[in-house]
């Protein structure tokens, strides 16, 4: 009987030990999973907020003495990973600099020949690649070692062609192309985005690293760049690496800008075709990838409260801007034609975002924003010297606020605020540094200003309630300045009269709506008007106008005092409070 109890106790201890080992293994797997995802550029899914319930065996073992082998917690694993990442970056950077200094020092002293230096560079690159391949279990260290090996290859070929002159262009260029293809293959084979990024950077930089005036042709350079872009697009279509997309976008357009230097008609047509295909690829590929991968993306981000961030949103507004700018430089378009093309493409983007229902929802507001930016850019380019462009820009600001409410997009709302901020600065600057057109209140500038102020007022309808007071306050100040600007040709008394009528109108509106804020603004306006009446108009106006102005305001205030109670539509709470404080007076007024 005792033997059976002892055997059962040993079996329980064994099960507890196995469960503890299994838990330690899960923690280690989680740490490795995070390391792999951070190195490959794939976002990490969030963990549930409540930890899983521990088995009874583990609870029983928690009372036993701790094991000397303790697995790191997730927080400790992240801390170790960050330190390891930075140490690897510093180590590989210093190693590459040391290799460069070694080459230069050896050349200056004449220790070894140029060919031997190139061979040493290839040997060091191969050693780094081999060591990184052997240490694939250490994901971060492995990718930095192999990435350093690729960079060493590129630097060695560059130095061997440009400085040491031991490699002809016919050998250096094919070797670099093969190196780029190898980097692409490594990224797919090992599922590492860093290798694809290095391959894109090295492949697109090859024509510059191996620059030769005799062999460099604009059309050949553009065609080669487009082939590299096709390869990176193919990898992105499979993996969806954001770092690859961003590096390909910016480096690709830089190389295409270098190639736009020809004047022959046939080459211009071919270059325009490459520009158009590049624009189309960067326009279609990111939303297509998200739409194709929506099921897996939804599964990956299911624990999160927010939806996954769409791919390539940051480059969407820049893509057509760069493509159209390069096309304008290629064909030599005038400002009018360039502005029309920008407006045409802006309407295309805006219509696509509103009419194409199969477009992923987060991309709709991005394409709407892109369309508005293109239209605004076209208006500015076409009418840069025209001071009446504020009206269409204000209408676009109104559309931005409407779209931010329609799509419930906070980034779009922030952009709309910035849009109106810049537009307000331009409007105030126009009021301060330009005079009013004649005849007053009957000119195109007056209509333009009315459109701007009206669009700003309507925009407040699409703002969240906490933001509206700020817009109304700024709009009030700008409106008062605008009245002064427009009525300046009629003399100082005209602006004072309109200010006073504006304050009276606000007071009546505040009484009718029982709004304390509007009544306060009206009171401030009337105080400012009285101050202007005594400090400015009393000195500058002719005696006849001075008498009329003072008598007119006196009559207006007397009429307001007489009809004040009739105009004030008090709330039930306010009415009951007044009746409690002044019961006899209320009964006399309302028999």
């Amino acid at each position: 009987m005792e033997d059976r109890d002892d055997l059962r106790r040993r079996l329980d201890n064994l099960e507890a030990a196995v469960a503890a080992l299994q838990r330690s293994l899960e923690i280690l797997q989680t740490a490795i999973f995070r390391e792999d995802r951070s190195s490959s550029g794939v976002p990490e899914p969030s963990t549930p907020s409540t930890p899983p319930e521990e088995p009874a065996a583990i609870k029983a073992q928690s009372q036993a003495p701790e094991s000397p082998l303790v697995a790191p917690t997730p927080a400790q694993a992240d801390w170790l990973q960050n330190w390891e990442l930075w140490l690897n970056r510093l180590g590989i950077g210093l190693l590459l600099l040391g290799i460069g200094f070694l080459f230069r020092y050896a050349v200056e002293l004449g220790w070894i020949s140029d060919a031997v230096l190139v061979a040493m560079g290839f040997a060091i690159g191969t050693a780094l690649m081999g060591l990184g391949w052997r240490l694939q279990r250490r994901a971060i260290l492995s990718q930095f070692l192999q990435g350093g090996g690729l960079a060493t290859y590129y630097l060695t070929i560059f130095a061997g062609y440009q400085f040491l002159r031991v490699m002809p262009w016919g050998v250096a260029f094919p070797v670099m192309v093969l190196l780029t293809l190898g980097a692409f293959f490594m990224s797919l084979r090992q599922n590492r985005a860093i290798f694809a990024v290095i391959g894109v950077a090295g492949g697109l930089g090859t024509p510059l690293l191996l620059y030769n005036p005799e062999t460099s042709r604009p059309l050949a350079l553009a065609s080669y760049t487009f082939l590299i872009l096709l390869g990176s697009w193919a990898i992105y279509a499979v993996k969806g690496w954001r770092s690859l997309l961003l590096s390909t976008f910016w480096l690709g357009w830089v190389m295409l800008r270098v190639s736009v230097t020809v004047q022959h008609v046939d080459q211009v047509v071919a270059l325009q075709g490459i520009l158009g295909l590049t624009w189309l690829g960067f326009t279609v590929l990111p939303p297509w990838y998200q739409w194709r991968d929506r099921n897996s993306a939804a599964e990956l981000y299911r624990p999160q409260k927010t939806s996954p961030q769409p791919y390539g949103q940051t480059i969407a507004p820049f893509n057509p801007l760069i493509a159209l700018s390069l096309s304008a430089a290629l064909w030599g378009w005038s400002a009018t034609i360039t502005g029309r093309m920008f407006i045409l493409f802006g309407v295309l983007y805006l219509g696509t975002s509103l009419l194409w229902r199969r477009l992923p929802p987060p991309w709709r507001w991005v394409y709407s924003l892109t369309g508005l930016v293109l239209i605004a850019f076209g208006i500015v380019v076409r009418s840069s010297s025209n001071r009446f462009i504020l009206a269409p820009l204000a209408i676009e600001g109104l559309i931005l606020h409407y779209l931010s409410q329609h799509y419930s997009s906070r980034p779009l709302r922030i952009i709309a605020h910035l849009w109106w901020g810049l537009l307000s600065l331009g409007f105030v600057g126009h009021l301060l540094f330009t005079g009013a057109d004649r005849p007053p209140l009957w000119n195109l500038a007056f209509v333009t200003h009315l459109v701007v102020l009206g669009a700003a007022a309507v925009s407040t309808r699409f703002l969240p309630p906490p933001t509206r007071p700020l817009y109304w306050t700024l709009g009030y100040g700008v409106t008062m300045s605008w009245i002064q600007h427009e009525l300046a040709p009629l003399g100082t008394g005209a602006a004072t009269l309109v200010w006073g009528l504006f304050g009276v109108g606000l007071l009546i509106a505040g009484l009718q709506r029982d709004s304390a804020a509007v009544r306060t603004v009206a009171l401030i306006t009337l105080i400012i008007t009285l101050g202007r009446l005594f400090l400015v108009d009393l000195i500058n106006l002719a005696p006849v106008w001075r008498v009329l102005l003072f008598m007119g305001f006196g009559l207006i205030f007397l009429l307001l005092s007489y009809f004040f109670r009739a105009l004030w539509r008090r709330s039930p709470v306010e009415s009951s409070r007044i009746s409690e404080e002044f019961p006899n007076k209320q009964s006399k007024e309302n028999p």
Side-chain angles (χ1 to χ4, degrees), residues 21-146:
L21 291 175
Q22 184 177 2
R23 186 184 179 191
S24 301
L25 181 60
E26 290 177 355
I27 294 176
L28 291 176
Q29 288 177 347
T30 302
I32 295 174
F33 175 74
R34 290 181 176 178
E35 182 178 324
D36 292 340
R37 283 193 173 276
S38 63
S39 61
S40 60
V42 180
E44 177 186 353
S46 60
T47 56
S49 58
T50 59
E53 186 178 357
E54 297 182 353
I58 300 179
K59 293 181 180 180
Q61 194 194 9
S62 61
Q63 302 175 358
E66 296 183 356
S67 173
L69 297 177
V70 180
T73 63
Q76 293 174 344
D78 292 339
W79 180 81
L80 292 173
Q81 176 183 341
N82 291 332
W83 273 100
E84 183 181 358
L85 182 66
W86 281 107
L87 289 175
N88 286 326
R89 288 175 178 174
L90 292 174
I92 199 65
L94 294 175
L95 179 61
L96 292 176
L97 287 176
I99 292 173
F101 291 148
L102 173 63
F103 283 2
R104 180 177 179 180
Y105 190 62
V107 171
E108 290 177 354
L109 296 181
W111 288 349
I112 50 179
S113 63
D114 297 340
V116 175
L117 282 176
V118 173
M120 288 178 59
F122 279 108
I124 295 175
T126 304
L128 291 175
M129 294 286 292
L131 185 60
W133 179 266
R134 291 293 301 273
L135 298 177
Q136 290 190 33
R137 289 179 296 178
R138 301 288 300 276
I140 297 178
L141 179 60
S142 174
Q143 69 178 1
F144 272 95
L145 288 175
Q146 295 182 77

Side-chain angles (χ1 to χ4, degrees), residues 137-430:
R137 289 179 296 178
R138 301 288 300 276
I140 297 178
L141 179 60
S142 174
Q143 69 178 1
F144 272 95
L145 288 175
Q146 295 182 77
L150 291 174
T152 303
Y153 283 146
Y154 279 114
L155 292 176
T156 301
I157 298 172
F158 167 70
Y161 172 76
Q162 291 287 4
F163 300 109
L164 303 180
R165 304 294 181 182
V166 296
M167 295 183 66
W169 188 89
V171 176
F173 185 81
V175 172
M176 275 203 174
V177 171
L178 292 176
L179 187 59
T180 301
L181 295 177
F184 286 167
F185 174 77
M186 289 172 57
S187 66
L188 294 174
R189 181 71 171 78
Q190 302 183 33
N191 194 28
R192 304 293 183 197
I194 185 64
F195 300 146
V197 173
I198 293 175
V200 167
L204 293 176
T206 294
L208 300 180
L209 296 175
L210 305 180
Y211 178 73
N212 188 350
E214 298 180 357
T215 57
S216 297
R217 298 290 185 270
L219 184 57
L221 177 59
S223 301
Y224 170 79
T225 301
F226 186 70
L227 291 176
I228 299 295
L229 294 180
L230 285 178
S232 64
W233 289 346
I235 297 176
Y236 178 80
V238 177
K239 298 296 184 180
W241 289 324
R242 300 182 188 179
S243 57
L244 175 62
L245 179 65
L246 294 176
S247 58
T248 303
F249 177 81
W250 293 112
L251 294 177
W253 278 121
V254 167
M255 294 306 300
L256 289 176
R257 175 63 185 91
V258 174
S259 64
V260 179
T261 55
V262 298
Q263 300 296 331
H264 301 292
V265 177
D266 55 345
Q267 294 184 349
V268 169
V269 173
L271 283 172
Q272 182 59 58
I274 293 176
L275 293 178
L277 292 175
T278 304
W279 162 79
L280 185 62
F282 284 118
T283 301
V284 175
L285 188 60
W288 171 84
Y289 178 82
Q290 187 189 5
W291 178 82
R292 180 187 64 86
D293 202 48
R294 63 189 185 279
N295 295 328
S296 60
E299 185 68 25
L300 178 63
Y301 289 87
R302 188 177 300 277
Q304 295 184 354
K305 295 182 180 180
T306 58
S307 59
Q309 180 182 2
Y311 297 93
Q313 280 191 358
T314 54
I315 67 174
F318 297 100
N319 186 41
L321 285 173
I322 297 174
L324 290 175
S325 300
L326 293 183
S327 299
L330 182 64
W331 294 94
W333 291 339
S334 62
T336 303
I337 298 177
T338 304
R340 289 176 180 175
M341 293 300 297
F342 274 100
I343 294 174
L344 177 62
F345 272 78
V347 173
L348 176 63
Y349 270 87
L350 192 60
T352 301
S353 65
L354 297 176
L355 300 178
W356 191 18
R357 297 301 179 184
R358 298 191 64 182
L359 189 68
W363 276 90
R364 292 177 184 171
W365 73 263
V366 174
Y367 277 13
S368 298
L369 173 63
T370 303
L372 293 175
V373 170
L374 290 175
I375 293 174
F377 199 84
I379 293 173
V380 172
V381 170
R382 185 180 179 184
S383 309
S384 58
S385 60
N386 193 338
R387 55 183 178 155
F388 308 118
I389 64 174
L390 293 177
L393 295 179
I395 295 174
E396 289 198 33
L398 170 62
I399 297 174
L400 272 175
H401 275 305
Y402 166 75
L403 293 176
S404 66
Q405 185 193 58
H406 179 72
Y407 294 121
S408 300
S409 173
R410 184 180 178 184
L412 195 58
R413 185 177 297 115
I414 294 175
I415 294 172
H417 292 329
L418 294 176
W419 188 291
W420 274 108
L422 296 175
L423 188 62
S424 300
L425 291 177
F427 186 73
V428 173
H430 175 71

Side-chain angles (χ1 to χ4, degrees), residues 418-485:
L418 294 176
W419 188 291
W420 274 108
L422 296 175
L423 188 62
S424 300
L425 291 177
F427 186 73
V428 173
H430 175 71
L431 297 179
L432 293 177
F433 299 107
T434 61
D437 293 352
R438 294 180 181 272
L441 307 180
W442 189 257
N443 54 75
L444 186 58
F446 176 76
V447 177
T448 302
H449 297 163
L450 279 180
V451 172
V452 174
L453 294 175
V458 177
S459 295
T460 58
R461 296 177 58 88
F462 308 109
L463 292 174
T467 315
R468 292 176 184 175
L470 177 60
Y471 269 68
W472 284 116
T473 303
L474 295 177
Y476 168 79
V478 173
T479 302
M480 297 289 284
S481 302
W482 172 68
I483 293 173
Q484 168 65 29
H485 176 269

